[in-house]
């Protein structure tokens, strides 16, 4: 019996050693801030609820990186492509008069169609620039954000709750409460347990998406995509269509991102347009790298762990620092500190990317 | 003529436990053309790397023995030392800058600076790199070097767009221009040249030798060697076979020395198997493959069902291109029929669907997913082609585990378990995984390229025996290998490839001389033997 126990302890240490360093580092930071918060009078359930909330709205953005990384096109730094497609889907579906759950469902379907279509074109672009995907992708994201800035301005929608009060063009923020469409998923089967708020609808969407992604990478096509990412020559010699696999992976990636922005928008209660998608790719990539992914290898576990730690950290850092540092008086410094933490972790994650978070 | 310029004294070199040069001693006389010949892996390149103090030698523990130049022990630690000692080399790949003129290329990094007041001031102010150049003098020097080679091209022509033969001359001119050049090494200089270009190069070599510069001439072309060389040194498997005066020998003898009688793996089936009645499993006509360094230029052959067909030849001659081309891994044109069906080319999938499997010569780059498990590697191609090992569209771990375990047992793959990463396996076991993957496809035609490269004797024997067994069960096998002994041990017929074409097809018991001659591209072996 004692031997078995020893073995178990041993394997626990081994399991801990296996955790990528980036996960440990950010995990430790999360714990520090969590404890700091508890000491300063925050309730554990409050902090955990906030963490779960941001995890729910960010998970799909992070998940979108899995197919593109696995296919060898690197993290999807062109996440804004998927996001503008999701935004466009929401704007059109709102203008068409959908509200409530109907809005969410229809917008999601439209977002997936738009996302796949532009993902197809983006995949073709990735095939055309093989070898420099990581340099092209972020700028493709910036460019598409700028182009859609013009789209938001000139789109012929006249709904009074969507356009600027003066002049033409869509607003920077479209509140969803006018359309009875805010917190739809968050409130779906919402319940509280020991003060912990569980946004069931959001989590269901995330879990289903994660499970589907996990299953996909156990299917013939998913395995083929993985082989393309690991060794394109091997994949080609085994009869896998390398270029097509890369395109399919990026279609899925872009569609998931488009879906992600719908979950995001309902979670905060408004649609953000214009510059909003521009810099979203970086925290999303940081999430998955914190979870232990590299530029060549990623899985659903990386997404779940990484998104919870990174976004959870961002969620609790703001209230905790506000109380600790300023007690309300000098709250102005909290914003910069939060930005410093976020960008610091992003920078750290990007520097770890080639090593798989080790 | 008899004065020794350079002497190799019992030079040995090993990489880890792999001895690539064993006690090689020979000398090079002043003003002679000394040919160096040997199969791939015979040690020619290693010997030249030692002479030039290449980092690869010193980073792997240096070498044993010594090299003497004009009686003085040479201590060459880097290519710069070799240059200072008056040893120059023209590599197979040209090292020229296309956008520069011939003169600029010749003087590259040895530019002549102008001596003027302005130049002194600017160089004091901005450093030596800002000095202006004396193009007049540079052109003059270049002209002189080109004249020595009897080359009538203007020295201010851009290298860009020059015919390959001229580029070669520019490379040589650069070496000649270095003051105090005593020894020039030419590594297969004629391989890329047309016949007339090669002739003028050989003439130029003779002229240089007449001026007192010794030349080490590495070539596979026996005809060229007997035409220009004074002496020839033959290496085989890292050992010196012999150094002979060319006038005392002939192409036949050199070929025999080069190949040797080293059929060490016993041929178990003594009488040749007859396949004249069997149907044709694979027919290849006018096959051209654009594989870099292994270009195939119009190959034609037929293989009958159940036969083991060997493809041999020296590296870079195109033997590897054939299998890679047929499998659609490089741009290919020509006609390929499998079991009577004409096949579309450049479509890997179609070939695999037709029951053709391929074990690549490049295990790490093409043959394996080195970060994945043995079982994943074994099942992958079959899963992709035949949708095997799937249950309800998802991966069936149980079936994969069982199949992988069976393969591990059948092929004696030494591993901790079927879950071990293939990157962790030894070369021989990696090769077995590649073969297991190909067999899992249940192919009727199997291409294996370099199946025993870099693996130990035991694994080698197992793989060759396995191929024999597969063939006796009716599988058609096309084996490409650099090791002639290995081809002779199991193949029914062996095609020798030279310069992208089939020189001839020989039975495995043909004499080494014939193989040697064919590898050098001599087609009319019978005539040569008789004359």
């Amino acid at each position: 019996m004692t031997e078995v126990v020893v073995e178990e302890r041993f394997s626990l240490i081994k399991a801990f050693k296996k955790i990528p360093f980036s996960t440990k580092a950010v995990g430790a930071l999360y714990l520090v801030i969590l404890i700091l918060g508890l000491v300063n009078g925050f309730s554990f359930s409050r902090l955990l609820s906030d963490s779960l909330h941001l995890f729910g709205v960010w998970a799909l953005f992070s998940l979108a990186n899995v197919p593109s990384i696995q296919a060898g096109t690197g993290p999807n730094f062109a996440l804004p492509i998927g996001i503008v497609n999701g935004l466009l889907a929401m704007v059109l579906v709102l203008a068409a008069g959908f509200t409530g759950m109907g809005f969410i469902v229809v917008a999601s379907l439209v977002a997936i169609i738009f996302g796949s279509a532009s993902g197809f074109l983006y995949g073709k672009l990735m095939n055309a620039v093989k070898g420099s995907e990581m340099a092209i992708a972020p700028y493709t994201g910036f460019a598409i954000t700028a182009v859609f800035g013009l789209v938001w301005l000139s789109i012929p929608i006249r709904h009074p709750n969507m356009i600027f009060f003066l002049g033409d063009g869509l607003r920077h923020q479209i509140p969803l409460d006018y359309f009875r469409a805010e917190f739809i998923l968050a409130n779906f089967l919402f319940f509280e347990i020991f003060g912990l708020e569980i946004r069931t609808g959001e989590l269901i969407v995330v879990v289903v998406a994660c499970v589907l992604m996990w299953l996909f990478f156990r299917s013939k096509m998913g395995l083929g995509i993985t082989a393309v990412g690991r060794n394109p020559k091997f994949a080609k010699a085994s009869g896998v269509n390398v270029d097509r696999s890369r395109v399919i992976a990026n279609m899925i990636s872009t569609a998931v991102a488009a879906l992600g922005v719908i979950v995001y928008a309902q979670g905060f209660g408004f649609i953000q347009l214009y510059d909003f998608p521009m810099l979203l790719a970086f925290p999303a990539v940081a999430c998955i790298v914190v979870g232990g992914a590299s530029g060549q290898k990623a899985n659903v576990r990386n997404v779940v762990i990484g998104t919870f730690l990174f976004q959870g950290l961002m969620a609790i850092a703001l209230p905790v620092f506000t109380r600790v540092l300023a007690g309300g008086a000098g709250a102005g410094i909290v914003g910069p500190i939060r930005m410093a933490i976020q960008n610091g972790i992003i920078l750290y994650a990007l520097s770890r990317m080639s090593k798989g978070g080790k | 003529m008899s004065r020794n310029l350079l002497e190799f004294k019992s030079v040995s070199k090993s990489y880890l436990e792999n001895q690539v040069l064993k006690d090689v001693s020979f000398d090079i006389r002043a003003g002679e053309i000394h040919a160096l010949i040997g199969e791939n892996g015979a040690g020619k390149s290693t010997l030249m790397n030692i002479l030039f103090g290449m980092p690869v030698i010193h980073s792997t523990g240096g070498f044993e023995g010594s090299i003497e130049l004009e009686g003085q022990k040479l201590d060459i630690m880097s290519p710069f030392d070799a240059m200072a000692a008056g040893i120059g080399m023209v590599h197979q790949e040209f090292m020229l800058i296309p956008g520069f003129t011939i003169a600029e290329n010749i003087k590259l990094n040895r530019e002549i600076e102008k001596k003027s007041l302005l130049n002194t001031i600017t160089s004091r102010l901005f450093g030596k790199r800002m000095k202006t150049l004396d193009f007049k003098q540079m052109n003059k020097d270049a002209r002189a070097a080109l004249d020595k080679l009897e080359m009538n091209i203007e020295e201010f022509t851009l290298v860009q767009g020059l015919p390959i033969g001229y580029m070669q001359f520019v490379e040589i001119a650069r070496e000649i221009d270095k003051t105090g050049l005593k020894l020039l090494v030419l590594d297969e200089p004629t391989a890329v040249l047309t016949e007339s270009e090669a002739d003028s190069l050989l003439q130029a070599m003779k002229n240089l030798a007449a001026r007192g510069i010794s030349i080490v001439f590495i070539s596979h072309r026996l005809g060229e060697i007997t035409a220009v060389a004074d002496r020839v040194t033959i290496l085989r498997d890292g050992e010196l076979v012999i150094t002979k005066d060319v006038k005392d020998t002939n192409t036949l003898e050199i070929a025999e020395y080069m190949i040797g009688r080293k059929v060490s793996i016993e041929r178990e089936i003594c009488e040749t198997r007859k396949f004249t009645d069997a149907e044709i499993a694979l027919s290849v006509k006018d096959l051209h493959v654009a594989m870099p360094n292994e270009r195939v230029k119009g190959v034609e052959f037929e293989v009958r069902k159940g036969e083991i067909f060997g493809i041999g030849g020296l590296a870079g001659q195109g033997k590897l291109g054939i299998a890679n081309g047929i499998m659609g891994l490089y741009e290919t044109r020509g006609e390929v029929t499998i079991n009577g069906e004409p096949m579309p080319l450049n479509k890997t999938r179609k070939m695999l669907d037709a029951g053709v499997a391929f074990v690549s010569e490049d295990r790490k780059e093409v043959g394996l997913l080195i970060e994945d498990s043995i079982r994943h590697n074994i099942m992958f191609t079959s899963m992709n082609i035949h949708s095997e090992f799937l249950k309800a569209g998802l991966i069936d771990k149980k079936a994969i585990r069982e199949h992988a375990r069976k393969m591990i047992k059948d092929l004696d793959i030494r591993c901790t378990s079927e879950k071990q990463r293939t990157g962790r396996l030894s070369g021989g076991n990696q090769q077995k995984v590649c073969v297991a993957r190909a067999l899992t496809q249940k192919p009727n035609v199997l291409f294996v390229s370099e199946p025993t490269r870099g693996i130990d004797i035991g694994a080698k024997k197992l793989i060759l025996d396995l191929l024999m067994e597969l063939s006796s069960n009716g599988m058609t096998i096309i084996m490409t290998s650099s090791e002639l002994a290995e081809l002779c041990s199991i193949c029914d017929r062996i095609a020798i490839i030279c310069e992208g074409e089939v020189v001839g097809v020989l039975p495995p018991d043909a004499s080494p001389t014939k193989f040697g001659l064919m590898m050098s591209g001599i087609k009319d072996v019978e005539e040569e033997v008789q004359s």
Side-chain angles (χ1 to χ4, degrees), chain B residues 101-158:
Chain B
T101 66
I102 292 178
E104 283 166 337
N105 267 294
I106 289 176
K107 283 289 181 187
L108 196 65
N109 222 12
R110 298 179 298 112
E111 291 87 352
I112 302 165
E113 291 143 3
K114 258 191 195 151
K115 290 180 187 69
S116 69
L117 185 64
L118 182 71
N119 217 1
T120 323
I121 296 168
T122 47
S123 69
R124 284 282 156 80
L125 280 177
F126 305 112
K128 267 190 176 174
R129 290 185 171 274
M130 294 308 291
K131 280 193 177 176
T132 47
L133 301 179
D134 186 352
F135 281 102
K136 233 182 189 171
Q137 187 59 39
M138 280 166 63
N139 284 348
K140 223 165 119 190
D141 283 5
R143 183 72 261 156
L146 292 172
D147 284 343
K148 275 188 205 163
L149 291 169
E150 293 174 5
M151 203 177 156
N152 299 325
I153 192 161
E154 306 290 355
E155 65 276 12
F156 41 78
T157 318
L158 287 185

Side-chain angles (χ1 to χ4, degrees), chain B residues 422-434:
Chain B
T422 52
R424 295 274 169 85
L425 297 174
S426 70
N429 288 309
Q430 287 182 339
Q431 187 67 31
K432 288 181 202 164
V433 172
C434 293

